[in-house]
Amino acid sequence: MDLRAELLKSIWYAFTALDVEKSGKVSKSQLKVLSHNLYTVLCIPHDPVALEEHFRDDDDGPVSSQGYMPYLNKYILDKVEEGAFVKENFDELCWTLTAKKNYKPDRNGNSVISHQDAFKLWCLFNFLSEDKYPLVMVPDEVEYLLKKICTAMNVELNSCELDDYLSQEPQGQGGLTVWQFLDMVNSGRFLRGIEQEAVSMAVEEVYQEVIEDVLKQGYLWKKGQLRRNWSERWFTLKPSVLSYYMSEERKEKKGSIALDKHCCVEVLPDRDGKRCMFCVKTSSRTYEMSASDTRQRQEWTLAIQMAIRLQAEGKKSLHKDLKQKRREQREQRDQRKAAKEEETQRLKQLQEEKERKLQELELLKEAQRQAEILLQEEEQRRRQQHEEMQRTLEIQLREAEQARASMQAEMVLKEAEAERQRKRILELEDMQERLQEALQQEVKARQDEESVRYAQARLLAEEEEKLKQLMKLKEEQEEYIIKTQREKQVLKQEMENKNKCLEEAQKQLEEVRVNRQRADQDVMAAQRKLRQASTNVKHWNVQMNRLMHPIGPGDKRTNVSGGGFTGYQPLLSQRDSSLK
C-alpha cells in the first residue's frame, strides 16, 4: 500500500464526514476549508489561485467525491513528498473531522478506551482495512489486531467469543466498519477486568509497531565512541534506522544508526564488567551495546537482523509486507474454498446424474419386465388359440367319422338292394358281372380320383394354413426384431425358438409340397384309370346294346335294359356320395 492510498483512506473519512445529508456531495465552501487544511498538514505550498479557480461560485451546486478527486490528485497528492510532513498530524486532522460526526463513546464515562486510543485504533483500522470503499476490515484482520493488543497485555483472546460476536454483528461488504470495530472494543466484551491504562499502553505499543514501523524498543547500554564510557539509552528500532534517546519519552534524541544491507549484528563475549553484549557493524563504524539479559539480547539481535533483511529485500515496512502476505493467503484460501465448492457442486451434479441414470435403468428394467409379461401373455394366447383350433379339428374329425359311418350303413343298404336287382337279371349275370367289374373299376378310379382330390384339397388347405402360419411367424418375427432391437440379449432365446418354429414350418411346408406333388401324380394316374374305365364302360355299353337288341318282346327288353341301368345308377350315385 503506497503513501497515496494511505492518505486517500483518511481523506475519504473527512469527505464523508462533511457529507451531512449523505448524498455523496459536499459544499464548495467546506471543500475549500478541507483543502486549505490539507495543504497545511501535508506541508505543501498553498495555491490559492488554483483553489479559487477550481471552486468557482458559478459552478453548479455541491461537489461529489468524483468531482473532487481531479483537484485532489493534481494539486495535493501529486505534490506530497514522503518524510516531508508528520503523518500523525494529517491523521489527527481527518480523525477530528470524522469523529465529531460518527464516533459515539459511552456518555457515562464507561468506555474501555480513551479518545486518543480511539484515534490510534482508527489509524490501525485504516492500515489493515481493504483497499476498496466503503472501508471495512475483514474478520481475519480484526482477529489479528485484537490478538496483537491482547498479546501486548499478556492476555489471551477468546477466539470463540469473537466468532460469535462477528456472526451476530451485521457485516457490510464482508467486514466491519471502523465504527462497529470501535463499538466492539468499547463494549469491553473482550477486555473485561483490564484497566484503561493497560489498554492504552497496549494500543500505543501496537500503534508504534504497526503504524510507526517500530520493530523493537527498550533500554540498552551503549559504549561511547570518544570517551568509551557506557551510557543507558532508550533505543527504537525501525526497518531503516536504529535511534536512541535519553529516555523513553523520546524528547531528546542522542543519535541514530543507519541500517542497510551491508550491516550486520554479532554477539560479543562479556568484558569491561558488562554482560549480554552485542555489536552492530556498519560500513563506517561498529556500535557496541549491552542488554539486560540473554533473552533481551537475543530479541534485539533477531529484530536488527530482520531490519537488515528488509533493507536487503528493498522493503520499507514489515507489517505492510505481512499484511500483503495475509491478503494473499486469504485470496488463496478463498480460491481453495471456491474450488472446493465447485468440486462439491460438480460431485453433487455427478451424484444427481448417477441417480438419474439409476432411475432410467430402473425404468428400463420395468419396461423389460413389462415386455416379458406381454410376451408371456402373447404366448399363452397363442397356446389357447392352438388348443381351441385342435378341439375344433377334433370335433370336425368326429363329425367326419359319424358321416362315414352313416355312409357305410347306407352303402350296406344299397348293396343289399343291388343284390336283389342282380337276382332279377339271372340271364344277364355274366354280362352284368363283366359290366359290374367295368363299373367297379370306373367307380374305383373315381373313388381314387376323389380321394386323391380330397387329399390334394386337404394338402392344399394344409399348405395354405402353413403358409399363413409361416407369414404370420415372419410378421411376428419382424415385429419382435423391431420392438426388441435394444433387448437383443434378453429376447435372443425367443428369436431362436421362433427360428426353430419357422424351420419346422418350412420343413412341414416342404413335406406338404411333396405330398401335393405325390397327390397330383395320384390324381393324374386316377384320371388315366378313369379315362380307361370310361372307355371300357362305353365299350361294354355298346356290346350290351348289341346283345340286347334282338331280344323280344319289347316290354321285357325295356324292363331288362331299364332295370340294368337303374340298377347300376344308384350304385354309381352311392359311390360318388361316398367319395364326396
Side-chain angles (χ1 to χ4, degrees), residues 336-513:
R336 289 194 297 269
K337 184 177 179 181
K340 187 176 180 180
E341 291 178 354
E342 183 179 356
E343 182 68 17
T344 304
Q345 186 67 21
R346 189 176 67 82
L347 291 175
K348 184 177 179 181
Q349 292 177 356
L350 290 176
Q351 184 67 21
E352 292 177 353
E353 183 70 17
K354 182 179 179 181
E355 292 178 358
R356 186 176 63 80
K357 293 291 185 182
L358 289 176
Q359 291 178 358
E360 292 179 356
L361 183 60
E362 290 295 332
L363 293 175
L364 290 176
K365 288 182 179 179
E366 183 65 22
Q368 181 180 357
R369 287 195 293 269
Q370 294 293 335
E372 290 177 355
I373 292 172
L374 292 175
L375 288 174
Q376 292 176 0
E377 292 178 353
E378 183 68 18
E379 184 66 22
Q380 186 177 1
R381 184 178 61 80
R382 287 199 302 271
R383 192 180 296 110
Q384 290 177 357
Q385 290 179 355
H386 180 70
E387 292 175 355
E388 185 177 355
M389 186 181 297
Q390 188 175 0
R391 288 193 297 269
T392 303
L393 291 175
E394 290 176 355
I395 293 172
Q396 292 177 357
L397 183 59
R398 286 195 296 270
E399 291 177 353
E401 291 291 338
Q402 292 176 1
R404 188 180 67 177
S406 62
M407 290 181 68
Q408 286 178 355
E410 187 177 356
M411 286 178 66
V412 170
L413 294 175
K414 295 296 182 181
E415 287 178 355
E417 182 68 24
E419 188 65 27
R420 288 193 296 271
Q421 291 294 333
R422 284 195 299 271
K423 289 179 181 180
R424 280 186 274 175
I425 53 172
L426 296 174
E427 68 276 9
L428 298 174
E429 186 174 359
D430 294 333
M431 186 64 68
Q432 184 179 356
E433 289 177 359
R434 295 176 183 174
L435 182 60
Q436 188 175 2
E437 289 177 359
L439 288 173
Q440 287 178 353
Q441 290 178 358
E442 182 180 1
V443 169
K444 185 177 181 181
R446 287 186 177 181
Q447 286 179 351
D448 293 337
E449 182 183 4
E450 291 297 326
S451 63
V452 170
R453 286 181 178 176
Y454 176 74
Q456 185 180 12
R458 181 173 59 81
L459 291 173
L460 288 172
E462 290 180 356
E463 181 182 4
E464 185 178 359
E465 184 66 20
K466 294 298 181 179
L467 284 172
K468 289 182 179 180
Q469 292 180 359
L470 179 61
M471 294 302 293
K472 186 175 182 182
L473 288 172
K474 285 184 177 180
E475 292 176 356
E476 291 178 354
Q477 184 180 13
E478 293 176 357
E479 183 179 358
Y480 286 143
I481 289 173
I482 295 172
K483 289 182 178 180
T484 62
Q485 190 173 7
R486 295 181 180 175
E487 293 84 6
K488 287 182 180 180
Q489 297 298 328
V490 180
L491 301 179
K492 186 177 181 181
Q493 188 63 33
E494 185 68 17
M495 290 174 65
E496 291 176 358
N497 294 336
K498 293 293 183 179
N499 290 330
K500 289 180 181 180
C501 294
L502 180 60
E503 290 174 1
E504 292 176 0
Q506 289 177 351
K507 290 179 181 180
Q508 293 177 5
L509 180 60
E510 292 296 330
E511 292 175 0
V512 169
R513 289 177 178 173

Side-chain angles (χ1 to χ4, degrees), residues 115-142:
H115 190 81
Q116 186 64 21
D117 295 336
F119 160 68
K120 293 176 180 178
L121 288 176
W122 177 78
C123 294
L124 291 169
F125 181 93
N126 289 345
F127 180 82
L128 297 175
S129 62
E130 298 298 302
D131 296 333
K132 50 187 177 182
Y133 298 90
L135 295 175
V136 295
M137 184 164 30
V138 296
D140 291 345
E141 295 296 325
V142 174

Side-chain angles (χ1 to χ4, degrees), residues 13 125 134-137 170-172 175-182:
Y13 278 109
F125 181 93
L135 295 175
V136 295
M137 184 164 30
Q171 299 180 13
L176 294 179
T177 64
V178 66
W179 313 118
Q180 290 175 327
F181 175 71
L182 292 176

